[in-house]
């Protein structure tokens, strides 16, 4: 899939603003961004539901503007929004979904059994879809997409509402399918998930792509701010905290109100750690535990988005 | 299997509300067997054209059959409304179909419901209607045309209404209200000429009047030049309403 300067205006406000990227065959491409960044709008355009205002794309070798029908025959979509057939039970709704996709009856039967087993839907397979819990319904919606063949699957926050066990089952199932050649376009707000699944990640903010890279590279490049966490035997020390916050190497200091642990954001943990011990001695308190926290994709993500916001502020200031 | 067959089958399975279908069949039967017979004693038989004189219960029984047509038509709106409410509309449009195929599949499903429903009511009403029913080829064709055009008009109307009212829960209320307006300004219960004059005017724009008149003419062999004209007007109304539905449908925001 190749996306070129794809844009969509709502009124005169751009929801997606000249977005370009490529997705390789059998790749899991993550699309991350804050609420309202333009992820769903991008998916709606790439699945031919919504007309782009400008720009274009090539999806599976077909042109987005002129060959929409051919594209739709080869993709699957799990929308962010709920979707279910209200008059049917789970099994029948899977079957009829397969039917409208023209999947032969015997093939439908095997695939239905497969997804019912994989997504743990045995105990509600005969229940009407309207009576399901939100998470159960989401499971059916995700499972349904695997009844038909496809080369490219769009998943718009598929794990919302799923319990941890099903979520893990889904991610593993997705990995399996990718091994067999499926390409996935994936959005989520759960960054561990993105890290676990995605080969590359694009970060989008206010309609524009901020970065595209592998999760490791993004962490390395933007996760530079590290965190040091420590606890005091005495619980808290106002004096230590205020002295430490004014230290040059410390970007931010917060204390967790629940555990009482202090979390220091810094670019130089190696000098902050001795500093903590020095201050502890001076203020007659004891450090009971201390460690350097792993950089997470979440740190990197927050860093990228905040940087981008600041960049925009400056742009606006200059303009 | 053909794409339309698959979509129509889905529409019929997924979006039909069995309880309301049941009432759509029961409702006309009340008119035929309760009201029709009740009023028969005080309303003398009258002429409906081409020199044909029929009793009120016959007149009303025929009207009750076409009543089923607008009932069936409402289903088109309900199907679309459910699909939009439940997110299936977008899901299907991201599948291997075109918008035109989807909307036509709704119209086809509606035709099946409308025509099958009318035939069922007709069968139930046969004890009343049977005696004076002498089918000719032209009569049957006239009946088919009336049922087809009527269903297309009311199906398209309901689709347009359902698009306009998607965001609210008022679709069911408004369509029921519209149903009664169409019903009472039509010739289902009484000939347009004996209605109050305001109603007569409304009646002349009402496709249910035409559907009913044409159906009766076909059924009782009472074709007149007026009825041929009505057939033309009904066809025109159906085409216009269908075009409106298609335009409105293509403007649905996703
Ligand atoms: N139908 C619409 N009319 C007007 N503006 C819209 C419409 N749909 C979306 N927008 C705007 O477009 C922007 C992008 O929305 P979009 O749904 O793509 O965000 P998102 O990245 O999917 O967010 P989330 O994480 O909340 O799902 C938002 O600012 C939103 O307000
Ligand atoms: Mg979204």
């Amino acid at each position: 899939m190749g996306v070129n300067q794809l844009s969509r205006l709502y009124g005169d406000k751009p929801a997606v603003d000249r977005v370009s990227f490529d997705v390789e065959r059998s790749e899991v491409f993550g699309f991350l961004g804050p609420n309202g960044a333009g992820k769903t709008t991008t998916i709606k355009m790439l699945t031919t539901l919504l007309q782009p205002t400008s720009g274009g794309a090539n999806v599976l070798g077909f042109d987005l503007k002129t060959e929409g029908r051919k594209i739709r025959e080869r993709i699957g979509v799990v929308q962010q929004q709920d979707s279910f057939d209200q008059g049917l039970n789970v099994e029948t709704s899977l079957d009829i979904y397969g039917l409208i996709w023209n999947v032969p009856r015997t093939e439908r039967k095997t695939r239905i059994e497969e997804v019912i087993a994989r997504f743990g839907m045995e105990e509600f397979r005969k229940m009407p879809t309207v009576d399901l819990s939100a998470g159960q319904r989401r499971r059916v919606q995700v499972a349904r997409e695997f009844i038909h063949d496809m080369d490219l699957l769009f998943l718009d926050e598929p794990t919302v509402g799923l319990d941890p066990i099903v979520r893990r089952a889904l991610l593993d199932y997705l990995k399996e399918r990718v091994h067999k050649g499926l390409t996935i376009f994936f959005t989520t707000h759960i960054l561990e998930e993105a890290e676990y699944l995605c080969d590359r990640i694009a970060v989008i903010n206010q309609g524009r792509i901020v970065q595209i890279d592998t999760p490791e590279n993004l962490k390395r490049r933007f996760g530079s701010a590290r965190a040091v966490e420590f606890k005091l035997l005495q619980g808290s020390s106002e004096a230590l905290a205020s002295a430490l916050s004014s230290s040059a190497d410390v970007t931010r200091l917060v204390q967790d109100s629940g555990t009482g642990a202090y979390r220091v954001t810094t670019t130089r943990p190696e000098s902050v750690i001795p500093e903590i011990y020095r201050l502890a001695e001076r203020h007659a308190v004891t450090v009971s535990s201390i460690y350097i926290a792993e950089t997470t994709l979440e740190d990197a993500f927050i860093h990228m988005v905040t940087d981008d916001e600041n960049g925009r502020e400056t742009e606006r200031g200059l303009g | 299997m053909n794409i339309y067959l698959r979509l129509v089958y889905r529409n019929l399975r997924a979006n039909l509300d069995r309880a309301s279908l049941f009432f759509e069949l029961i409702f006309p039967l009340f008119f035929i067997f309760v009201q029709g017979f009740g009023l028969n004693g005080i309303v003398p038989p009258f002429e409906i054209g081409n020199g044909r004189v029929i009793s009120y219960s016959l007149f009303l029984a025929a009207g009750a059959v076409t009543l089923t047509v607008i009932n069936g038509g409402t289903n088109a709106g309900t199907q679309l409304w459910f699909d939009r409410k439940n997110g299936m509309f977008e899901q299907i449009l991201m599948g291997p179909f075109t918008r035109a195929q989807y909307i036509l599949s709704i119209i086809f499903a509606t035709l099946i419901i409308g025509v099958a429903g009318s035939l069922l009511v007709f069968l139930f009403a046969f004890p009343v209607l049977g005696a004076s029913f002498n089918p000719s080829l032209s009569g049957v064709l006239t009946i088919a045309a009336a049922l087809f055009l009527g269903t297309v008009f009311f199906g398209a109307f309901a689709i347009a209404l359902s698009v306009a009212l998607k965001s609210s829960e008022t679709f069911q209320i408004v369509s029921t209200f519209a149903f009664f307006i169409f019903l009472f300004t039509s010739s289902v219960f009484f000939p347009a000429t004996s209605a109050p004059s305001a109603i007569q005017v409304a009646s002349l724009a009402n496709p249910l009047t035409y559907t009913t008149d044409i159906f009766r003419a076909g059924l009782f062999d009472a074709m007149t030049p007026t009825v041929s004209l009505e057939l033309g007007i009904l066809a025109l109304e159906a085409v216009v309403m269908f075009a409106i539905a298609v335009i409105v449908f293509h403007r649905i925001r996703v």
Side-chain angles (χ1 to χ4, degrees):
Chain A
M1 174 160 76
V3 179
N4 185 18
Q5 299 277 315
L6 197 65
S7 307
R8 171 74 199 197
L9 298 175
Y10 279 118
D12 52 7
K13 190 176 150 283
V16 173
D17 191 3
R18 287 161 290 159
V19 159
S20 302
F21 57 85
D22 290 308
V23 179
E24 304 300 323
R25 185 175 293 271
S26 224
E27 180 179 32
V28 183
F29 190 82
F31 210 52
L32 310 184
N35 291 137
K39 303 180 294 294
T40 301
T41 309
T42 306
I43 290 186
K44 281 184 178 172
M45 288 192 284
L46 292 176
T47 55
T48 75
L49 196 58
L50 193 68
Q51 291 272 356
T53 314
S54 64
N58 184 295
V59 181
L60 300 167
F62 299 112
D63 183 67
L64 188 61
K65 280 212 190 79
T66 57
E67 297 174 297
R69 171 67 193 272
K70 293 223 176 76
I71 292 174
R72 291 197 298 273
E73 277 169 11
R74 304 300 319 155
I75 62 173
V77 190
V78 174
Q79 313 173 71
Q80 179 169 17
Q81 176 198 7
D82 239 20
S83 122
F84 61 97
D85 272 325
Q86 72 164 32
L88 304 174
N89 72 27
V90 171
E91 211 177 317
T92 320
S93 81
L94 293 174
D95 189 51
I96 289 189
Y97 195 68
L99 176 92
I100 64 172
W101 271 88
N102 213 10
V103 180
R105 174 192 281 272
T106 47
E107 193 61 37
R108 293 204 303 266
K109 277 223 152 61
T110 11
R111 291 187 192 175
I112 289 171
E113 291 311 321
E114 184 189 343
V115 296
I116 283 182
R118 291 300 299 249
F119 295 98
M121 304 193 295
E122 194 57 54
E123 84 261 36
F124 55 86
R125 64 188 289 168
K126 297 281 183 205
M127 262 169 74
T129 49
V130 275
D131 293 345
L132 299 179
S133 77
Q136 289 171 331
R137 200 181 286 158
R138 189 72 178 163
R139 268 195 249 181
V140 177
Q141 187 184 354
V142 176
R144 192 177 61 183
E145 241 17 66
F146 293 101
I147 303 291
H148 64 85
D149 288 321
M150 64 202 154
D151 297 322
L152 170 63
L153 174 61
F154 291 89
L155 295 168
D156 199 349
E157 301 186 29
T159 56
V160 170
L162 299 187
D163 68 48
I165 296 165
V166 179
R167 173 184 310 225
R168 184 44 81 99
L170 170 64
L171 295 181
D172 289 339
Y173 185 63
L174 292 177
K175 280 204 158 175
E176 253 179 69
R177 297 295 299 243
V178 169
H179 273 295
K180 291 184 194 152
L182 184 65
T183 309
I184 296 182
F185 188 94
F186 185 78
T187 82
T188 182
H189 288 298
I190 302 168
L191 299 178
E192 289 86 3
E193 224 170 77
E195 201 171 344
Y196 180 70
L197 197 65
C198 298
D199 300 306
R200 282 188 309 143
I201 286 173
V203 175
I204 179 173
N205 188 33
Q206 297 187 27
R208 274 195 250 164
I209 292 201
V210 181
Q211 290 295 334
I212 305 182
D213 215 328
T214 61
E216 293 71 35
N217 285 345
L218 289 177
K219 278 197 299 191
R220 195 169 322 129
R221 286 164 55 202
F222 297 94
S224 54
R226 311 283 281 281
V228 174
E229 275 195 21
F230 65 95
K231 275 190 185 172
L232 297 177
L233 206 55
Q234 289 77 5
S236 326
S237 161
E238 283 290 331
L240 179 140
S242 73
L244 189 60
S245 347
S246 51
S247 152
D249 290 330
V250 172
T251 322
R252 208 161 75 106
L253 174 71
V254 286
Q255 185 179 18
D256 188 305
S257 55
T259 62
Y262 287 97
R263 186 178 171 96
V264 187
T265 314
T266 174
T267 46
R268 302 190 58 218
E270 65 283 4
S271 69
V272 166
I273 292 174
E275 176 77 4
I276 292 170
Y277 279 103
R278 248 192 319 275
L279 290 172
E281 206 173 309
R282 186 179 313 152
H283 297 288
V285 287
T286 317
V287 177
S288 60
S289 73
I290 186 162
Y291 70 98
I292 303 179
E294 266 289 320
T295 334
T296 61
L297 188 58
E298 189 160 315
D299 289 328
F301 176 81
I302 292 170
H303 190 162
M304 280 181 268
V305 172
T306 338
D307 268 7
D308 184 59
E309 302 281 339
N310 294 341
R312 279 164 203 272
E313 285 296 318
T314 332
E315 234 171 74
R316 233 166 276 146
L318 293 175
Chain B
M1 210 201 314
N2 179 280
I3 216 164
Y4 289 104
L5 286 180
R6 286 185 263 138
L7 285 175
V8 167
Y9 178 73
R10 172 194 169 264
N11 291 344
L12 294 176
R13 285 295 301 275
N15 284 336
L16 283 193
D17 177 7
R18 289 193 195 98
S20 67
L21 275 188
F22 178 71
F23 281 107
E24 280 162 25
L25 286 181
I26 290 300
F27 195 47
L29 295 182
F30 270 105
F31 286 120
I32 296 171
F33 290 104
V34 182
Q35 196 189 354
F37 282 108
L39 288 178
N40 225 8
I42 52 170
V43 181
F46 52 94
E47 205 213 298
I48 56 159
N50 196 22
R52 299 279 298 170
V53 175
I54 59 171
S55 68
Y56 182 71
S57 61
L58 276 178
F59 179 87
L60 185 65
V65 174
T66 57
L67 171 63
T68 321
V69 163
I70 69 171
N71 267 328
T74 338
N75 276 297
T78 318
Q79 289 170 52
L80 179 60
W81 192 74
F82 279 145
D83 274 352
R84 299 189 71 204
K85 185 163 82 73
N86 299 334
M88 284 309 288
F89 169 74
E90 286 88 349
Q91 191 72 48
I92 288 175
L93 293 189
M94 290 184 295
F97 317 101
T98 62
R99 280 194 180 214
Q101 286 168 337
Y102 173 70
I103 191 173
L104 279 175
S105 77
I106 290 185
I107 296 280
F108 290 151
T110 307
L111 275 170
I112 291 176
I113 301 164
V115 173
S118 307
L119 288 180
L120 262 179
V121 172
F122 184 69
L123 269 182
F124 284 130
F126 206 73
V128 182
L129 289 170
S132 55
F133 179 51
N134 42 355
S136 62
L137 181 63
S138 73
V140 170
L141 287 179
T142 311
I143 289 172
L147 296 183
F148 175 80
L149 293 173
T151 310
V152 169
F153 178 90
F154 286 104
F157 175 78
I159 285 174
L161 199 64
S162 128
V163 173
L165 298 176
K166 183 253 172 169
S167 50
S168 59
E169 297 290 318
T170 48
F171 169 72
Q172 304 291 355
I173 299 165
V174 174
S175 63
T176 308
F177 184 69
F179 170 87
F180 278 106
I181 303 261
F182 277 119
L183 189 54
F184 284 98
T185 60
S186 74
S187 53
V188 166
F189 296 131
F190 34 75
T193 43
S194 50
S197 59
I199 301 278
Q200 273 191 40
V201 174
S203 167
L204 281 181
N206 187 343
L208 187 58
T209 300
Y210 301 134
T211 309
T212 312
D213 289 354
I214 298 163
F215 180 80
R216 278 195 192 110
L219 189 63
F220 301 122
D221 184 26
M223 276 309 275
T224 60
T226 323
V227 175
S228 311
L229 178 66
E230 286 184 314
L231 192 58
I233 299 176
L234 180 61
L236 188 70
E237 284 184 328
V239 168
V240 169
M241 191 41 90
F242 186 71
I244 291 175
V246 170
I247 293 168
V248 170
F249 180 81
H250 274 271
R251 295 212 176 139
I252 292 181
R253 289 184 51 184
V254 286

